[in-house]
Structure formats: C-alpha cells, structure tokens
Amino acid sequence: MLYFLGLFAGFILANQSPINARLGDTVKSPFISSLISFTIGTIFLAVIYFVSGQHAANLIDTATTNPWWIWFGGVIGVVYLTSNILMFPKIGAIQTIILPIVGQVFMGVIIDSFGLFGVKQVPISLTKISGVFILFIGIYIAIVLANKKVANKVSTTGAEQTTAILNMWRIWGVFVGSLSAIQQAINGHLGYLLGSAVASAVISFIIGTVIILIFILVKEPHLLAKAMAIPLKNKPLWLLTGGILGSLFVFSTTFLVPKVGAGMTVTLGLTGSILGSMVVSQFGLWQSPKQQVTRIQVGGILFMIIGVVLIKFG
C-alpha cells in the first residue's frame, strides 16, 4: 500500500504541472501562479491538520534541540520550482524533465546509503546499483527515445547561447534535482520530529509561500496588482486545484520517507510522475495538447518498474 501511495503522489504531481501552467497563462505570470498554488496548498493542509486533531511537538523545543536545516524544505521547494521555470526556455522540455530526475535518483540513493538528514541508513548493494541503472534506461526510453522525433528547440532571446552556458544550465538541472530529493528527506525528518507529517507539510508550504511572496513584491509588484484584478469566477474551478495536488504530494512524500527511505520515495514518485504525464498527454487533460502514448513509452515504463523492484529488494 505504501508503494501505491508513492506512485499516486507522483501521478498527482504530473497533473499539477499543466494546471499551474494554465493558471499562469490566466494570471499572466508563472510566479503569481506559484503563489496562488502555494497559498491554496497551505490553507488545505492547515484545514486537514486541525480537522484531523493531530498535535505536533512544540516548535520552539524542536528548533532549539535540532539542526537548523530541518526548516529548509520549503526554501528548497521554491528553488526547485523557480529553476524549472527558468530552465525550460534555456534547455528545452526534454532536458528540463530528464536532468532533475538524474539528480533526484542519485541523491536519493546517496541519502539512504549514508543515512543523511535523519534518514535510516540503507547500505548500498550491487543489486540496488543495477536497479538504478535499469531505472535510468527506462527513463531514457520513456522520455528521450519516445520524443526523439519531436524537435527539442532551445529559445535564445538574443545572441546564440554558447555551449558553455547551456552546459551550466544542464549541470544546474541535475543539481536542483538532487535538491528535490533532499527536500523530501528533510520534510520527512521534520515530520518525524514533530510527530505529524501534516504539520511538516504545512510548515514547508508556509515557508514557500512567504518566500515566493517576497520575491514577487521585489521583482514583480505590478504583476501582483494585475493578477488581483483578473476575475477567476468565470474560469473552471480546476484552475485552483494545483495547490491541493501539490500539498498532497508533499504530505505523501513526508509520510513515506521515514517508512520506506528517501531513495524509494523518490523512485516511486518519479515513476508515478512519468505515468501521470502519459495519461495527461493521452487524454489531453486540463486543456493540454493530446499526444498518443506509444509502445516505446510503455516499454520504458516496464524497465522502470524492474528498476524499482531491484532498488527495493537490493
């Protein structure tokens, strides 16, 4: 059941992206879209926390008796989200998907192998290494080969970008992917310390909301005023569900990390995310362009499943 929760978390995250993108088109800013998403997610998680009757440990005691990094999950979440927005026009869609996945899987295995960020140590093994390798083969087949015929154009808003600059963005893509795995481990440990995965997710979202709001007030204050004037009452309600889906993802991963480890949580989430992306493309959900799922993509998913099994039992 826990593994299905991990797959489901990745699946709903894949649905969040097109929803937030459509919301960004509506409010004319991806940052405003992120702010709305984070705010709704924070409110949703806060309601769940109070309705569920959970009681978190004292925040002051937790802050004074534990390392400072336990509060950094929300900060990392904002960096990851903003980096994806910035990378897309620089290195194209396929690389923006692939490179963070590479970083996430590698960092997830490293966190487990060395017991970093309060995660229970799981020694590395040849079987687990083989699983990671097969997982990467599946990712390559499902995303790269399946999209080989689609031109992966890179936008250049001025002079042609140099190879060195593009390589810097690619390295950054792998780096922010590793940050995402760290975020999941940190939020999981904070949930353990507080005795509540929901409380950990709420804190992460509150921190993320505050950071995005400060960024907008500094960089795009005029867009905030314009966005507030855009009527959303005549728009479909699902435009506002991105924050709920994102909050469910954060809660799920926070809950899973202490139970199945950071590496397995990341692996399950990524597999579910790619599955979800295929479903969204196949049926054109959330007003996204339809794209038929191919046999190559199905084959890639099968490789990924084999990789997940090897990582789990390695």
Side-chain angles (χ1 to χ4, degrees):
M1 182 60 70
L2 292 177
Y3 303 124
F4 284 110
L5 178 61
L7 291 172
F8 177 72
F11 188 89
I12 60 178
L13 186 66
N15 284 265
Q16 182 199 28
S17 297
I19 290 174
N20 281 349
R22 183 62 59 186
L23 179 60
D25 291 339
T26 302
V27 298
K28 312 302 181 186
S29 168
F31 298 107
I32 298 295
S33 171
S34 297
L35 177 62
I36 295 174
S37 181
F38 264 80
T39 302
I40 293 176
T42 301
I43 296 172
F44 177 75
L45 286 171
V47 170
I48 290 180
Y49 176 75
F50 288 112
V51 170
S52 65
Q54 293 190 26
H55 299 285
N58 186 285
L59 293 180
I60 296 178
D61 290 342
T62 302
T64 55
T65 57
N66 288 281
W68 57 270
W69 49 258
I70 63 173
W71 310 104
F72 248 58
V75 178
I76 294 174
V78 172
V79 173
Y80 179 76
L81 175 66
T82 306
S83 296
N84 274 302
I85 294 173
L86 295 174
M87 285 191 299
F88 190 88
K90 299 291 184 182
I91 60 177
I94 294 177
Q95 293 183 63
T96 300
I97 294 172
I98 286 291
L99 296 175
I101 287 178
V102 173
Q104 284 177 323
V105 174
F106 268 120
M107 182 55 69
V109 172
I110 289 173
I111 290 172
D112 277 350
S113 299
F114 294 94
L116 304 178
F117 305 109
V119 174
K120 181 180 178 181
Q121 186 174 5
V122 181
I124 194 69
S125 67
L126 183 60
T127 303
K128 185 171 292 187
I129 293 174
S130 300
V132 172
F133 180 71
I134 293 175
L135 178 67
F136 281 141
I137 292 177
I139 292 171
Y140 180 82
I141 293 172
I143 297 179
V144 179
L145 290 185
N147 292 276
K148 198 170 184 180
K149 294 182 180 180
V150 180
N152 186 24
K153 297 181 180 179
V154 176
S155 172
T156 54
T157 56
E160 186 174 347
Q161 300 182 85
T162 65
T163 302
I165 293 176
L166 290 177
N167 286 336
M168 288 177 62
W169 279 108
R170 289 164 182 148
I171 293 172
W172 183 254
V174 176
F175 175 70
V176 296
S178 66
L179 287 182
S180 178
I182 292 173
Q183 179 200 22
Q184 295 179 36
I186 289 175
N187 285 346
H189 186 58
L190 178 59
Y192 169 77
L193 294 174
L194 295 176
S196 170
V198 180
S200 173
V202 171
I203 292 172
S204 179
F205 262 72
I206 290 175
I207 293 173
T209 302
V210 171
I211 291 176
I212 291 179
L213 178 60
I214 292 173
F215 175 83
I216 291 173
L217 291 176
V218 173
K219 293 291 186 179
E220 298 183 332
H222 61 288
L223 289 180
L224 183 60
K226 286 184 178 180
M228 294 294 289
I230 296 176
L232 293 175
K233 63 180 181 179
N234 296 325
K235 305 295 182 181
L237 288 177
W238 55 258
L239 277 177
L240 302 176
T241 61
I244 295 176
L245 297 181
S247 64
L248 288 174
F249 172 79
V250 172
F251 164 72
S252 299
T253 55
T254 300
F255 176 79
L256 284 172
V257 167
K259 299 183 180 300
V260 301
M264 179 54 67
T265 300
V266 168
T267 301
L268 290 170
L270 294 175
T271 304
S273 181
I274 292 180
L275 282 169
S277 298
M278 290 182 180
V279 172
V280 170
S281 297
Q282 175 73 19
F283 298 101
L285 301 180
W286 320 119
Q287 298 180 2
S288 59
K290 281 188 178 182
Q291 185 177 354
Q292 195 76 16
V293 175
T294 65
R295 292 181 181 179
I296 294 179
Q297 289 174 316
V298 174
I301 290 295
L302 293 177
F303 269 91
M304 292 171 65
I305 293 173
I306 294 172
V308 169
V309 172
L310 291 176
I311 292 172
K312 165 57 185 172
F313 296 102

